[in-house]
Amino acid sequence: MEIWINPACSKCRSALTLLDAEGADYTVRRYLEEVPSEDEIRDVLDRLGLEPWDITRTQEAAAGELGLKEWARDAASRARWITALAGHPELIQRPIITADDGTAVVARTDEAVRDALSR
């Protein structure tokens, strides 16, 4: 499995601590440094079963600068959201774990991390 993290994020650090405690085999991706491409974001969204606005941190400064709160949340606007996430990775909710079974979870709680571990 792979986990997308921001090392400054307490939820990310908690997820890593739990993964380590469970002896999980995982790869860390510091997504602010190794920015996901639009195709990778699409893949993760498909694995999550979510839309880009569902994993967007709308309280970030970049979201305000882009005016994201006013953007349409529909199929016609999906590509625009994905482009914004690729161009401003700090807008991506974290941590995200891609599980070995092809699914993914936004692992902001211990329960979500355990869910990823069970897959």
Side-chain angles (χ1 to χ4, degrees):
M1 71 177 60
E2 181 177 79
I3 181 169
W4 291 9
I5 69 155
N6 172 351
C9 169
S10 63
K11 299 282 187 191
C12 294
R13 292 191 307 271
S14 293
L16 292 174
T17 298
L18 182 54
L19 290 173
D20 289 341
E22 296 293 327
D25 182 25
Y26 64 92
T27 302
V28 170
R29 179 170 185 169
R30 294 178 179 216
Y31 72 95
L32 297 177
E33 298 166 15
E34 188 183 338
V35 178
S37 68
E38 290 185 24
D39 284 341
E40 288 174 307
I41 293 169
R42 277 187 210 89
D43 178 60
V44 163
L45 288 167
D46 289 346
R47 293 172 82 166
L48 287 166
L50 296 174
E51 293 297 336
W53 45 87
D54 296 325
I55 65 162
T56 299
R57 299 172 55 86
T58 57
Q59 300 305 316
E60 293 289 331
E65 292 166 13
L66 294 170
L68 287 181
K69 288 186 179 183
E70 287 77 46
W71 288 15
R73 296 176 181 213
D74 57 23
S77 301
R78 190 172 199 262
R80 182 181 187 198
W81 282 85
I82 291 170
T83 299
L85 293 175
H88 302 274
E90 69 275 16
L91 295 175
I92 299 172
Q93 190 59 262
R94 60 190 182 247
I96 294 176
I97 298 175
T98 54
D100 293 335
D101 71 349
T103 62
V105 296
V106 178
R108 296 190 54 78
T109 65
D110 287 352
E111 294 77 24
V113 175
R114 286 189 180 95
D115 180 43
L117 285 168
S118 71
R119 295 177 184 205

